Amino acid sequence: EVQLVQSGAVVKKPGESVKISCKVSGYDFAIYWIGWVRQMPGQGLEWMGIIYPADSDIRYSPSFKGHVTMSADKSLDTAYLQLSSLKASDIGTYYCARISGHSTSHFEFDFWGQGTLVTVSS
Amino acid sequence: EIVMTQSPATLSVSPGERATLSCRANQSVGVNLAWYQQRSGQAPRLLISGASTRATGVPARFTGSGSGTEFTLAINSLQSEDFAVYFCQQYNDWLGLTFGGGTKVEIK
């Protein structure tokens, strides 16, 4: 059974950083892209970027490039999302999700983590 | 960037009735279009990929159609668990994945 399990909710102060983890099981972690998606409170879904764990090929959304860092540890079957210099506008739920295939005709997100709520408050 | 526009923002439907949701792209995405369901407090769930292929375990009352720039998700005979928010997503531009703003299907 494919599962993506994310780290728990966090509360951070403005200017701090946070690293969210996404541990997968039930499939070969290395050979599927993992994506990160943000959902601000009461809002829609925003694609942040994707990472291919086999070689750590990363593609960031221009909207998030420079503010987030994606990484993956194949030995732990875990992907990470780091947000730096947190602001109030970073408040939201962050999801990791697996991309279903290996071609652009199969680039939908077929399995999702449960989400990690990030709160930024002084 | 490919902009995805969903309509309506909110759809009020009675249980047992049919709901029709629309998703429009500002340029052609072929059939590289997915639909997701997000119930309150839950992560999104893949319903449809390739514009019309149901994901594993998705009931047959969910039907996706369309190609190019116009897409539709139809939900026949709405059940209580179908009242949720639905998002479309294009993946024709895999370096610029984009979602629609969502349609909330609520009980009338």
Side-chain angles (χ1 to χ4, degrees), chain A residues 56-100:
Chain A
S56 289
D57 186 3
I58 301 171
R59 310 301 176 102
Y60 292 110
S61 161
S63 300
F64 292 90
K65 193 170 185 177
H67 184 47
V68 305
T69 303
M70 296 177 189
S71 60
D73 186 333
K74 290 181 291 184
S75 69
L76 297 177
D77 289 344
T78 301
Y80 301 94
L81 175 71
Q82 180 166 335
L83 309 174
S84 56
S85 302
L86 288 165
K87 302 183 284 287
S89 56
D90 292 314
I91 293 173
T93 299
Y94 293 81
Y95 293 100
C96 61
R98 190 186 81 162
I99 285 178
S100 70

Short mmCIF file of all heavy atoms in Angstrom, two decimals, chain A residues 56-100:
data_model
loop_
_atom_site.label_atom_id
_atom_site.label_comp_id
_atom_site.label_asym_id
_atom_site.label_seq_id
_atom_site.Cartn_x
_atom_site.Cartn_y
_atom_site.Cartn_z
N SER A 56 18.00 13.67 -7.39
CA SER A 56 17.70 14.98 -6.80
C SER A 56 17.53 16.08 -7.84
O SER A 56 17.89 17.23 -7.59
CB SER A 56 18.75 15.37 -5.75
OG SER A 56 18.60 14.56 -4.60
N ASP A 57 17.02 15.73 -8.98
CA ASP A 57 16.62 16.74 -9.96
C ASP A 57 15.44 17.49 -9.35
O ASP A 57 14.46 16.88 -8.92
CB ASP A 57 16.21 16.06 -11.27
CG ASP A 57 15.92 17.05 -12.38
OD1 ASP A 57 16.08 18.27 -12.19
OD2 ASP A 57 15.51 16.59 -13.47
N ILE A 58 15.54 18.81 -9.29
CA ILE A 58 14.51 19.62 -8.64
C ILE A 58 14.05 20.70 -9.62
O ILE A 58 14.86 21.33 -10.29
CB ILE A 58 15.06 20.29 -7.36
CG1 ILE A 58 15.55 19.24 -6.37
CG2 ILE A 58 13.99 21.18 -6.72
CD1 ILE A 58 16.29 19.81 -5.17
N ARG A 59 12.75 20.89 -9.66
CA ARG A 59 12.17 21.97 -10.46
C ARG A 59 11.24 22.77 -9.57
O ARG A 59 10.26 22.25 -9.07
CB ARG A 59 11.39 21.40 -11.66
CG ARG A 59 12.19 20.38 -12.48
CD ARG A 59 13.47 20.94 -13.04
NE ARG A 59 14.25 19.91 -13.73
CZ ARG A 59 14.31 19.79 -15.05
NH1 ARG A 59 13.62 20.63 -15.83
NH2 ARG A 59 15.03 18.84 -15.60
N TYR A 60 11.58 24.02 -9.36
CA TYR A 60 10.78 24.87 -8.49
C TYR A 60 9.79 25.69 -9.29
O TYR A 60 10.09 26.14 -10.40
CB TYR A 60 11.68 25.83 -7.70
CG TYR A 60 12.58 25.17 -6.67
CD1 TYR A 60 13.96 25.10 -6.86
CD2 TYR A 60 12.04 24.64 -5.49
CE1 TYR A 60 14.79 24.51 -5.91
CE2 TYR A 60 12.87 24.05 -4.54
CZ TYR A 60 14.23 23.99 -4.75
OH TYR A 60 15.04 23.40 -3.81
N SER A 61 8.65 25.93 -8.69
CA SER A 61 7.75 26.92 -9.24
C SER A 61 8.40 28.30 -9.09
O SER A 61 8.98 28.60 -8.04
CB SER A 61 6.42 26.91 -8.48
OG SER A 61 5.72 28.11 -8.69
N PRO A 62 8.32 29.16 -10.11
CA PRO A 62 8.89 30.50 -9.98
C PRO A 62 8.34 31.25 -8.78
O PRO A 62 9.03 32.10 -8.21
CB PRO A 62 8.47 31.18 -11.29
CG PRO A 62 8.28 30.06 -12.26
CD PRO A 62 7.75 28.93 -11.45
N SER A 63 7.12 30.92 -8.38
CA SER A 63 6.50 31.62 -7.25
C SER A 63 7.17 31.29 -5.93
O SER A 63 7.03 32.06 -4.96
CB SER A 63 5.02 31.25 -7.16
OG SER A 63 4.33 31.61 -8.33
N PHE A 64 7.89 30.17 -5.87
CA PHE A 64 8.48 29.75 -4.60
C PHE A 64 10.01 29.66 -4.66
O PHE A 64 10.66 29.49 -3.62
CB PHE A 64 7.91 28.39 -4.19
CG PHE A 64 6.46 28.45 -3.80
CD1 PHE A 64 5.47 28.26 -4.74
CD2 PHE A 64 6.09 28.72 -2.50
CE1 PHE A 64 4.12 28.33 -4.40
CE2 PHE A 64 4.75 28.79 -2.13
CZ PHE A 64 3.76 28.60 -3.09
N LYS A 65 10.57 29.77 -5.84
CA LYS A 65 12.02 29.64 -5.97
C LYS A 65 12.72 30.70 -5.16
O LYS A 65 12.34 31.88 -5.18
CB LYS A 65 12.42 29.76 -7.45
CG LYS A 65 13.84 29.33 -7.73
CD LYS A 65 14.08 29.24 -9.23
CE LYS A 65 15.46 28.69 -9.52
NZ LYS A 65 15.70 28.53 -10.96
N GLY A 66 13.74 30.27 -4.42
CA GLY A 66 14.50 31.19 -3.58
C GLY A 66 14.00 31.25 -2.15
O GLY A 66 14.70 31.76 -1.27
N HIS A 67 12.81 30.74 -1.93
CA HIS A 67 12.23 30.79 -0.58
C HIS A 67 12.11 29.39 0.02
O HIS A 67 11.97 29.25 1.24
CB HIS A 67 10.85 31.45 -0.64
CG HIS A 67 10.20 31.64 0.69
ND1 HIS A 67 10.86 32.16 1.79
CD2 HIS A 67 8.93 31.37 1.11
CE1 HIS A 67 10.02 32.20 2.81
NE2 HIS A 67 8.85 31.72 2.44
N VAL A 68 12.14 28.37 -0.85
CA VAL A 68 12.01 27.00 -0.36
C VAL A 68 13.16 26.15 -0.91
O VAL A 68 13.75 26.48 -1.94
CB VAL A 68 10.66 26.37 -0.78
CG1 VAL A 68 9.50 27.24 -0.32
CG2 VAL A 68 10.58 26.14 -2.27
N THR A 69 13.45 25.08 -0.16
CA THR A 69 14.47 24.13 -0.59
C THR A 69 13.91 22.73 -0.46
O THR A 69 13.43 22.34 0.61
CB THR A 69 15.74 24.25 0.27
OG1 THR A 69 16.22 25.58 0.23
CG2 THR A 69 16.82 23.30 -0.23
N MET A 70 13.95 22.01 -1.56
CA MET A 70 13.51 20.62 -1.55
C MET A 70 14.71 19.69 -1.55
O MET A 70 15.74 20.01 -2.16
CB MET A 70 12.63 20.34 -2.77
CG MET A 70 11.36 21.15 -2.77
SD MET A 70 10.37 20.91 -4.24
CE MET A 70 9.15 22.20 -4.00
N SER A 71 14.56 18.56 -0.88
CA SER A 71 15.63 17.57 -0.84
C SER A 71 15.01 16.21 -0.64
O SER A 71 13.81 16.08 -0.36
CB SER A 71 16.64 17.90 0.26
OG SER A 71 15.99 17.92 1.53
N ALA A 72 15.85 15.19 -0.78
CA ALA A 72 15.37 13.83 -0.59
C ALA A 72 16.51 12.97 -0.08
O ALA A 72 17.67 13.16 -0.48
CB ALA A 72 14.83 13.27 -1.90
N ASP A 73 16.18 12.04 0.78
CA ASP A 73 17.16 11.09 1.32
C ASP A 73 16.70 9.70 0.93
O ASP A 73 15.74 9.17 1.52
CB ASP A 73 17.26 11.24 2.83
CG ASP A 73 18.37 10.39 3.44
OD1 ASP A 73 18.71 9.33 2.85
OD2 ASP A 73 18.87 10.74 4.51
N LYS A 74 17.35 9.12 -0.06
CA LYS A 74 16.94 7.81 -0.55
C LYS A 74 17.10 6.72 0.50
O LYS A 74 16.33 5.75 0.52
CB LYS A 74 17.73 7.45 -1.81
CG LYS A 74 17.36 8.27 -3.03
CD LYS A 74 18.15 7.84 -4.24
CE LYS A 74 19.61 8.20 -4.11
NZ LYS A 74 20.40 7.87 -5.33
N SER A 75 18.07 6.87 1.39
CA SER A 75 18.29 5.85 2.41
C SER A 75 17.14 5.81 3.42
O SER A 75 16.93 4.80 4.08
CB SER A 75 19.62 6.09 3.13
OG SER A 75 19.56 7.26 3.92
N LEU A 76 16.42 6.91 3.52
CA LEU A 76 15.31 7.00 4.46
C LEU A 76 13.95 7.03 3.77
O LEU A 76 12.92 7.13 4.45
CB LEU A 76 15.44 8.26 5.33
CG LEU A 76 16.68 8.34 6.23
CD1 LEU A 76 16.71 9.69 6.95
CD2 LEU A 76 16.70 7.19 7.23
N ASP A 77 13.94 6.97 2.45
CA ASP A 77 12.68 7.07 1.68
C ASP A 77 11.89 8.30 2.10
O ASP A 77 10.65 8.24 2.26
CB ASP A 77 11.82 5.81 1.86
CG ASP A 77 12.39 4.59 1.17
OD1 ASP A 77 13.27 4.76 0.31
OD2 ASP A 77 11.96 3.46 1.49
N THR A 78 12.59 9.39 2.25
CA THR A 78 11.97 10.59 2.78
C THR A 78 12.32 11.82 1.94
O THR A 78 13.49 12.01 1.59
CB THR A 78 12.39 10.83 4.24
OG1 THR A 78 12.00 9.69 5.03
CG2 THR A 78 11.72 12.07 4.81
N ALA A 79 11.31 12.61 1.67
CA ALA A 79 11.49 13.89 1.00
C ALA A 79 11.31 15.00 2.03
O ALA A 79 10.61 14.83 3.03
CB ALA A 79 10.49 14.06 -0.14
N TYR A 80 11.96 16.13 1.77
CA TYR A 80 11.91 17.25 2.69
C TYR A 80 11.58 18.54 1.96
O TYR A 80 11.96 18.74 0.80
CB TYR A 80 13.26 17.42 3.39
CG TYR A 80 13.70 16.22 4.18
CD1 TYR A 80 14.55 15.27 3.60
CD2 TYR A 80 13.30 16.02 5.50
CE1 TYR A 80 14.97 14.15 4.31
CE2 TYR A 80 13.72 14.90 6.22
CZ TYR A 80 14.55 13.98 5.62
OH TYR A 80 14.95 12.87 6.33
N LEU A 81 10.91 19.42 2.70
CA LEU A 81 10.64 20.76 2.22
C LEU A 81 11.07 21.72 3.33
O LEU A 81 10.58 21.63 4.45
CB LEU A 81 9.15 20.97 1.93
CG LEU A 81 8.75 22.39 1.54
CD1 LEU A 81 9.27 22.73 0.15
CD2 LEU A 81 7.23 22.57 1.59
N GLN A 82 12.01 22.59 2.99
CA GLN A 82 12.46 23.59 3.96
C GLN A 82 11.99 24.96 3.53
O GLN A 82 12.17 25.36 2.37
CB GLN A 82 13.99 23.57 4.10
CG GLN A 82 14.50 24.58 5.11
CD GLN A 82 15.96 24.33 5.49
OE1 GLN A 82 16.46 23.20 5.40
NE2 GLN A 82 16.63 25.36 5.94
N LEU A 83 11.38 25.66 4.46
CA LEU A 83 10.95 27.04 4.24
C LEU A 83 11.82 27.93 5.11
O LEU A 83 11.97 27.68 6.31
CB LEU A 83 9.48 27.22 4.63
CG LEU A 83 8.48 26.22 4.05
CD1 LEU A 83 7.10 26.45 4.65
CD2 LEU A 83 8.42 26.36 2.54
N SER A 84 12.39 28.95 4.52
CA SER A 84 13.29 29.83 5.26
C SER A 84 12.67 31.22 5.42
O SER A 84 11.74 31.59 4.70
CB SER A 84 14.62 29.93 4.53
OG SER A 84 14.42 30.37 3.20
N SER A 85 13.20 31.94 6.42
CA SER A 85 12.75 33.31 6.69
C SER A 85 11.23 33.41 6.68
O SER A 85 10.63 34.18 5.92
CB SER A 85 13.35 34.28 5.66
OG SER A 85 14.74 34.22 5.67
N LEU A 86 10.64 32.64 7.53
CA LEU A 86 9.18 32.54 7.55
C LEU A 86 8.51 33.88 7.81
O LEU A 86 8.98 34.70 8.62
CB LEU A 86 8.73 31.52 8.59
CG LEU A 86 9.00 30.05 8.23
CD1 LEU A 86 8.86 29.17 9.45
CD2 LEU A 86 8.07 29.61 7.12
N LYS A 87 7.39 34.05 7.11
CA LYS A 87 6.56 35.25 7.28
C LYS A 87 5.14 34.78 7.57
O LYS A 87 4.79 33.61 7.37
CB LYS A 87 6.58 36.09 6.01
CG LYS A 87 7.93 36.55 5.56
CD LYS A 87 7.84 37.45 4.33
CE LYS A 87 7.58 36.71 3.09
NZ LYS A 87 8.76 35.96 2.64
N ALA A 88 4.32 35.71 8.00
CA ALA A 88 2.92 35.38 8.26
C ALA A 88 2.25 34.83 7.01
O ALA A 88 1.34 33.99 7.08
CB ALA A 88 2.18 36.61 8.77
N SER A 89 2.69 35.27 5.86
CA SER A 89 2.10 34.82 4.60
C SER A 89 2.45 33.37 4.25
O SER A 89 1.95 32.82 3.28
CB SER A 89 2.53 35.73 3.45
OG SER A 89 3.94 35.78 3.37
N ASP A 90 3.32 32.76 5.05
CA ASP A 90 3.67 31.34 4.83
C ASP A 90 2.74 30.40 5.57
O ASP A 90 2.86 29.18 5.45
CB ASP A 90 5.12 31.07 5.28
CG ASP A 90 6.12 31.76 4.38
OD1 ASP A 90 5.97 31.66 3.14
OD2 ASP A 90 7.06 32.39 4.90
N ILE A 91 1.82 30.96 6.33
CA ILE A 91 0.87 30.13 7.06
C ILE A 91 0.05 29.30 6.08
O ILE A 91 -0.47 29.81 5.09
CB ILE A 91 -0.06 30.98 7.93
CG1 ILE A 91 0.73 31.64 9.06
CG2 ILE A 91 -1.22 30.17 8.48
CD1 ILE A 91 -0.06 32.64 9.86
N GLY A 92 -0.05 28.00 6.38
CA GLY A 92 -0.84 27.15 5.51
C GLY A 92 -0.54 25.70 5.76
O GLY A 92 0.26 25.34 6.63
N THR A 93 -1.20 24.87 5.00
CA THR A 93 -0.96 23.43 5.04
C THR A 93 -0.14 23.06 3.82
O THR A 93 -0.46 23.44 2.70
CB THR A 93 -2.29 22.66 5.06
OG1 THR A 93 -3.01 23.02 6.23
CG2 THR A 93 -2.03 21.16 5.08
N TYR A 94 0.91 22.31 4.07
CA TYR A 94 1.82 21.90 3.01
C TYR A 94 1.67 20.39 2.80
O TYR A 94 1.74 19.62 3.75
CB TYR A 94 3.26 22.26 3.38
CG TYR A 94 3.46 23.76 3.40
CD1 TYR A 94 3.08 24.51 4.51
CD2 TYR A 94 4.01 24.42 2.31
CE1 TYR A 94 3.23 25.89 4.53
CE2 TYR A 94 4.17 25.79 2.31
CZ TYR A 94 3.78 26.52 3.43
OH TYR A 94 3.93 27.89 3.43
N TYR A 95 1.44 20.03 1.55
CA TYR A 95 1.25 18.62 1.21
C TYR A 95 2.41 18.13 0.33
O TYR A 95 2.86 18.84 -0.56
CB TYR A 95 -0.03 18.43 0.40
CG TYR A 95 -1.32 18.71 1.13
CD1 TYR A 95 -1.99 19.92 0.98
CD2 TYR A 95 -1.88 17.75 1.97
CE1 TYR A 95 -3.18 20.16 1.64
CE2 TYR A 95 -3.08 17.98 2.63
CZ TYR A 95 -3.72 19.19 2.46
OH TYR A 95 -4.91 19.43 3.12
N CYS A 96 2.83 16.90 0.58
CA CYS A 96 3.64 16.20 -0.41
C CYS A 96 2.73 15.25 -1.15
O CYS A 96 1.69 14.81 -0.62
CB CYS A 96 4.81 15.45 0.23
SG CYS A 96 4.35 14.14 1.40
N ALA A 97 3.08 14.96 -2.38
CA ALA A 97 2.25 14.08 -3.19
C ALA A 97 3.12 13.41 -4.24
O ALA A 97 4.05 14.03 -4.76
CB ALA A 97 1.11 14.86 -3.86
N ARG A 98 2.81 12.17 -4.54
CA ARG A 98 3.57 11.44 -5.55
C ARG A 98 3.00 11.72 -6.93
O ARG A 98 1.77 11.76 -7.11
CB ARG A 98 3.50 9.93 -5.27
CG ARG A 98 4.45 9.11 -6.14
CD ARG A 98 4.26 7.63 -5.95
NE ARG A 98 3.14 7.10 -6.72
CZ ARG A 98 2.97 5.81 -7.00
NH1 ARG A 98 3.85 4.92 -6.55
NH2 ARG A 98 1.93 5.40 -7.69
N ILE A 99 3.90 11.88 -7.89
CA ILE A 99 3.47 11.99 -9.28
C ILE A 99 3.41 10.58 -9.86
O ILE A 99 4.32 9.77 -9.69
CB ILE A 99 4.42 12.91 -10.06
CG1 ILE A 99 4.10 14.36 -9.66
CG2 ILE A 99 4.27 12.71 -11.56
CD1 ILE A 99 4.97 15.40 -10.29
N SER A 100 2.30 10.33 -10.56
CA SER A 100 1.94 8.94 -10.89
C SER A 100 2.86 8.26 -11.87
O SER A 100 3.05 7.04 -11.80
CB SER A 100 0.52 8.90 -11.44
OG SER A 100 0.49 9.48 -12.73
#
